[in-house]
Amino acid sequence: MVQEFHVVRCFSCEKFQVQQVKKATRWTCKICGEKQSLLKEVGRGSGADCRRHVQKLNAMVGAMLEEQESLWDAEEENDDQVTVTQSQVSRWSKYLDTPEEAELEEEQQLHGKNMTDRKRKRRDSPEQVR
């Protein structure tokens, strides 16, 4: 008696795989471990035929995903080039003083209004007195 296998697809990881035909309609994904019921059978046949079919299907899905990723990467590169040309301003500029603020600060230092110019009186602690 020849064993029959069928090709199924997991709902969670969306990978095709080969399962042995059983009376039970529930099966467990070999990749992610999700238990699920057999709703749709993609193919049926001998073990070798089903394995080749699964490899072909998973390769097609992988090729489609790589193609989509390359399209996304190309779009992101175009977007990055546009944003770089638009903003040549340093990222540090928001932390630095503007020229107007720098002038005000210089004027305050000249007039002695800067708080950092004042010296604080230091109290001697009992340890320093000795």
Side-chain angles (χ1 to χ4, degrees):
M1 183 170 151
V2 177
Q3 286 190 341
E4 269 196 338
F5 292 86
H6 51 217
V7 177
V8 291
R9 185 176 189 187
C10 176
F11 77 93
S12 178
C13 63
E14 298 181 351
K15 299 287 183 192
F16 292 97
Q17 50 194 286
V18 178
Q19 294 283 336
Q20 187 176 355
V21 175
K22 300 176 185 172
K23 288 183 181 180
T25 60
R26 295 191 50 82
W27 61 281
T28 304
C29 177
K30 294 175 184 174
I31 298 168
C32 65
E34 287 286 335
K35 291 186 178 182
Q36 47 203 311
S37 59
L38 182 65
L39 296 178
K40 186 176 179 182
E41 189 176 281
V42 180
R44 187 182 278 240
S46 68
D49 291 339
C50 288
R51 281 192 299 275
R52 275 189 242 112
H53 193 59
V54 164
Q55 288 175 350
K56 182 176 70 174
L57 290 170
N58 284 333
M60 285 178 12
V61 170
M64 287 176 25
L65 289 175
E66 284 182 12
E67 186 177 318
Q68 287 176 353
E69 286 177 10
S70 66
L71 290 175
W72 282 105
D73 290 342
E75 288 179 13
E76 287 177 2
E77 287 177 11
N78 290 339
D79 291 342
D80 289 343
Q81 289 174 357
V82 170
T83 55
V84 167
T85 56
Q86 288 177 352
S87 62
Q88 293 293 333
V89 180
S90 173
R91 287 187 261 162
W92 289 99
S93 63
K94 64 182 174 182
Y95 300 108
L96 298 174
D97 292 336
T98 61
E100 298 150 357
E101 291 175 347
E103 288 176 17
L104 286 174
E105 198 171 296
E106 287 174 10
E107 287 177 19
Q108 286 177 350
Q109 286 179 353
L110 292 175
H111 297 295
K113 295 179 181 177
N114 196 354
M115 295 295 288
T116 58
D117 289 342
R118 297 180 189 165
K119 292 185 178 179
R120 296 183 183 172
K121 291 184 180 178
R122 188 172 188 180
R123 290 188 182 180
D124 293 332
S125 63
E127 297 169 358
Q128 292 177 349
V129 174
R130 296 182 195 175

